[in-house]
Amino acid sequence: MNRRRNVKIIATLGPASDTPDMIRKLFDAGVDVFRLNMSHLDHKGLKRVHAAVRQVEKEVGRPIGILVDLQGPKLRIGEFKDGSVELKAGARFRLDTSKKAGDATRAPLPHPAIFDAVSAGQTLLLDDGKIRLHVMGKGRDHIDTEVEVGGKLSNRKGVSLPDTMLPLAALTEKDRSDLDAALDLGVDWVALSFIQRPDDVAEARKIARGRAAVMAKIEKPQALAHLEEIIEISDAIMVARGDLGVELPLEHVPGWQKRLTRAARRSGKPVVVATQMLESMISSPTPTRAEVSDVATAVFEGADAIMLSAESAAGDYPVEAVTMMDRVAQSVENDPTYPGIIYAQRTEPEATGADAISAAAHSVADTLNAAAIVCWTNSGSTGLRAARERPLFPIIALTPVHATARRLALVWGLHCVLTEDAKDLDDLSERACRIAFQEGFAEPGQRIVVTAGVPLGTPGATNMLRVAFVGRRSAD
């Protein structure tokens, strides 16, 4: 199946979509990678949904990526005597370590780390930022606050601390257990929540040991202060705008989305834009015009992937949401302004032989008006370098490694094909031409640009560029 678009689509699976039949419909509608959210799955459910995706992958004969999203620490207040209270602006409100049910003057907060880290003058946000508390002072077992923005507060609502670096690891015991289960199944990507510092990513990479690629979700202001180091140690990043928009002023989020996208592109790491992209399609068959513009903006920025969450997991119109996202992406990429915008954001290649070859492949393909760039890749690094150049013609990634093909399913512009390693240089070119024809990217008489590493099959050694002619034998 040839998508004829560069940006990839990630869809979250849930009660509305996690059967083999619905997964197949979502794939046919345009999904490239499926997200499994461990906030709503146990290990039995993870195994069942993973098997369903692999069943569909076998049916369609195309590599499909699986992204497991770990829950991360969940900070919540305790419970109230009557289930909820109404907090008034200007009132004093205490958070304490007592297990006693709360009332309009206090509430239990069962997270000792918060009491250690918070300081007077800082802000606490409750219930996705709907309620704002200003910290007036604290003791060993309590925090005294003044209500700046009030409202109804009910049991177990979330707590956010935008000004505070919390002494909490990104991986909880549940996350470690979930990560082990996901790695045992052979998932392709693992997304980490609650990232504050590079060490949070390093811990997960140490556990994964290359068995899955690691994606850092940028959802806390503290991560922005260490952005370059986090991108450097991660395999990809996700712009998690929902949580980021709770802890940052909302008007700052669009700017950070652009900065994060461009920082990831400069480093050659995939970047996913996520959260509330087509939110109204949870209950409506059509999105708002603002949502369509939001999706289009991410595509114009050159994001590798755009993601659906509740729209596909629990909404009434999961297939329609994917179809709409696909239509918007194709429309943007066919817009006359798109090539100029994408080209203007290109970054200079790094001073390595592999990057020089990838940049040269783009230039040669452009000069020759080639039908496609075909890159042979074992580890995936050649495919990532080709995608970093953002060429406006197809990139076919050929690999003998299932895991590589599935991971690259998330990367901008890459059409992944599983094939045996080339036997020699002639086989390398001939098979590249044949696959380019079979996959619908080239016709006899056209040229393709082929990149690979010599000796053949050497991971990460992109050092060869060839121009190959698609002859009539390729069509036989």
Side-chain angles (χ1 to χ4, degrees), residues 304-388:
D304 288 80
I306 46 183
M307 193 177 96
L308 295 167
S309 298
E311 302 97 325
S312 59
D316 295 331
Y317 302 96
V319 175
E320 290 84 352
V322 173
T323 301
M324 177 56 66
M325 190 167 265
D326 180 73
R327 284 168 51 194
V328 173
Q330 290 197 47
S331 177
V332 168
E333 293 182 4
N334 287 311
D335 189 274
T337 64
Y338 179 75
I341 294 171
I342 290 294
Y343 184 82
Q345 297 169 15
R346 283 185 63 224
T347 56
E348 292 299 315
E350 295 179 10
T352 66
D355 280 279
I357 291 291
S358 294
H362 184 182
S363 179
V364 169
D366 201 28
T367 301
L368 298 178
N369 193 27
I373 293 175
V374 180
C375 53
W376 288 83
T377 182
N378 274 50
S379 67
S381 62
T382 304
L384 287 170
R385 288 188 176 95
R388 181 187 184 189

Side-chain angles (χ1 to χ4, degrees), residues 128-250:
D128 289 336
K130 295 183 182 71
I131 291 173
R132 179 183 294 267
L133 307 178
H134 179 78
V135 178
M136 305 298 292
K138 72 170 187 177
R140 190 174 63 178
D141 59 357
H142 67 272
I143 302 169
D144 289 321
T145 74
E146 181 179 321
V147 180
E148 289 188 340
V149 178
K152 183 180 179 181
L153 181 62
S154 54
N155 295 338
R156 307 287 299 159
K157 291 300 182 182
V159 180
S160 300
L161 295 93
D163 308 325
T164 310
M165 177 71 80
L166 290 171
L168 294 174
L171 291 178
T172 64
E173 287 304 313
K174 169 180 163 53
D175 294 329
R176 288 173 178 275
S177 176
D178 292 345
L179 177 56
D180 287 339
L183 293 171
D184 288 344
L185 287 173
V187 304
D188 311 300
W189 287 90
V190 175
L192 306 179
S193 302
F194 209 84
I195 297 297
Q196 297 184 97
R197 54 183 81 80
D199 290 350
D200 295 330
V201 184
E203 184 182 5
R205 289 187 70 90
K206 185 176 180 181
I207 296 170
R209 299 196 310 277
R211 290 176 287 169
V214 176
M215 180 183 295
K217 293 168 65 178
I218 308 300
E219 56 188 0
K220 296 192 68 63
Q222 292 79 7
L224 301 176
H226 304 281
L227 184 59
E228 295 299 329
E229 303 100 302
I230 289 172
I231 291 176
E232 177 68 26
I233 199 171
S234 304
D235 295 305
I237 66 168
M238 179 189 292
V239 188
R241 304 175 312 170
D243 289 315
L244 196 60
V246 170
E247 301 200 17
L248 279 180
L250 283 174

